[in-house]
Amino acid sequence: MNRVSVDVAEFNLTRTLESGQVFHWTPEGSGWRGLIDHTDVYVEQNGIAISCDASHLEVVSRYFSFDHPLKQIYKSFPDHDFMRAALLSCRGIRIIRQPHWECLATFITSPMKQVTHIRQMSLAIRKRYGNPVEGSAINAYPTSKQLARADEQALRECGLGFRAKSLFKASQMVAEGKLDLEKIAALPTEEARETLCGIPGVGKKVANCVLLFAYERLDAVPIDVWIARVLKELFQKKNQKLTPRQMEEYSQTRLGIYAGYAQQYLFHHARAVKTGRG
DNA sequence: GACCAGGTGCCAG
DNA sequence: CTGGCACATGGT
């Protein structure tokens, strides 16, 4: 165990991990512990200094996207009061590069669930089906083959409710090779989205989450209940209603070329305001 | 106990 | 293509 430290401007570890992208990290000491794929990692932040085990630095740098040009991304944000407020309270959040299957599977469990519930289900699934990792209190996220060996009823016991069927079927598709998640990475965004939407339990919103959080499509905008409210706040003219189609259009044309980033800041800020943490 | 949560699939017009 | 509704679970 040999700790190293690197300076990263425009990075806030805690905000990033609490912004609803990823659900299994746990605060420990003055830092955070979690699994990056199968690697047990402990990360700390002191000012702009980020420290972790030397052997993890490469994995950590990629996972937390230290290469994203945050200054440039901030310049691309739309010029609105709410967006400025979101930047103030969310500064330093980076879009994480998650493993494809882990990201897809966790967001299949997300519809009509609060962030804390998604975390609970995710941890329950890891505990029941995932491989143990030495030094880690939680298991690795189970592979598609491991979940395909489960059954719908057992998945329901992890709190999934009606989402159990979708996750089970999706696991089978991937495990049987009917769907190659690695191939999706090479597709243009529109085709990648269509392919993802062919998976049970995956509609536009979940597809966009997966494109943004696992396939590096920084212009993908998941529109959930929170972002729908924000889009109305930003673009709805009074006495007019914003249709889903219009929200989709605005999200693509008015949030800048890093629309996914803008969306993440707006999402987190809107939630923080609501829960009194903003 | 009503209400809401990072929606999706299906069915009717 | 668009709007309405059922679908499970857990926390205020």
Side-chain angles (χ1 to χ4, degrees):
Chain A
M1 295 300 106
N2 171 26
R3 308 280 303 172
V4 291
S5 173
V6 289
D7 289 347
V8 184
E10 303 293 2
F11 178 55
N12 187 310
L13 178 64
T14 296
R15 284 177 184 173
T16 298
L17 290 175
E18 290 182 338
S19 67
Q21 304 180 54
V22 67
F23 306 95
H24 69 276
W25 288 76
T26 308
E28 180 182 312
S30 56
W32 289 82
R33 182 172 292 277
L35 292 178
I36 299 180
D37 210 350
H38 296 277
T39 306
D40 172 48
V41 171
Y42 177 67
V43 191
E44 276 184 0
Q45 173 162 35
N46 290 91
I48 62 167
I50 307 299
S51 62
C52 64
D53 190 86
S55 65
H56 298 157
L57 183 57
E58 210 173 312
V59 166
V60 165
S61 301
R62 176 170 171 75
Y63 186 74
F64 290 108
S65 304
F66 291 165
D67 56 308
H68 284 174
L70 273 269
K71 287 282 189 199
Q72 197 176 316
I73 289 169
Y74 292 160
K75 282 185 197 165
S76 77
F77 282 177
D79 183 27
H80 283 284
D81 288 342
F82 194 84
M83 186 74 243
R84 266 189 289 278
L87 175 54
L88 267 179
S89 75
C90 301
R91 197 160 189 125
I93 290 178
R94 284 173 184 261
I95 300 293
I96 297 174
R97 286 189 181 92
Q98 297 183 42
H100 299 150
W101 168 248
E102 176 182 325
C103 182
L104 171 64
T106 53
F107 277 97
I108 285 176
T109 69
S110 74
M112 299 304 292
K113 278 290 184 187
Q114 294 186 142
V115 170
T116 52
H117 297 150
I118 301 171
R119 175 181 170 85
Q120 289 171 5
M121 292 184 290
S122 152
L123 292 177
I125 288 171
R126 284 173 183 272
K127 185 168 191 174
R128 186 154 182 167
Y129 300 104
N131 291 332
V133 175
E134 194 178 335
S136 170
I138 66 168
N139 292 343
Y141 199 88
T143 62
S144 57
K145 287 183 182 174
Q146 288 176 309
L147 283 184
R149 267 185 255 123
D151 64 55
E152 195 184 319
Q153 188 51 44
L155 284 175
R156 279 177 184 261
E157 288 167 21
C158 295
L160 296 197
F162 61 80
R163 304 155 196 81
K165 182 175 289 184
S166 302
L167 182 57
F168 184 52
K169 285 186 178 173
S171 304
Q172 291 180 317
M173 280 179 73
V174 176
E176 292 168 7
K178 290 179 182 170
L179 179 71
D180 186 340
L181 294 181
E182 304 318 308
K183 276 189 184 168
I184 292 178
L187 296 176
T189 299
E190 202 48 53
E191 291 176 39
R193 185 180 289 116
E194 269 181 44
T195 306
L196 288 168
C197 286
I199 301 169
V202 180
K204 283 184 182 177
K205 190 275 173 182
V206 168
N208 282 327
C209 283
V210 177
L211 287 170
L212 180 61
F213 302 139
Y215 287 100
E216 307 182 57
R217 310 306 163 100
L218 300 183
D219 57 340
V221 179
I223 300 177
D224 69 330
V225 291
W226 293 95
I227 292 299
R229 286 178 201 139
V230 170
L231 290 174
K232 286 173 187 171
E233 165 88 16
L234 295 186
F235 305 124
Q236 187 174 40
K237 294 175 181 174
K238 56 182 177 182
N239 298 332
Q240 292 186 341
K241 59 172 111 181
L242 228 47
T243 66
R245 177 72 196 90
Q246 285 174 310
M247 287 195 263
E248 203 176 316
E249 183 192 332
Y250 291 166
S251 73
Q252 289 161 22
T253 58
R254 303 196 186 187
L255 294 181
I257 58 170
Y258 294 105
Y261 253 97
Q263 170 277 151
Q264 191 62 17
Y265 280 52
L266 294 168
F267 169 78
H268 188 58
H269 181 57
R271 289 184 65 237
V273 169
K274 184 74 174 188
T275 58
R277 288 185 291 110

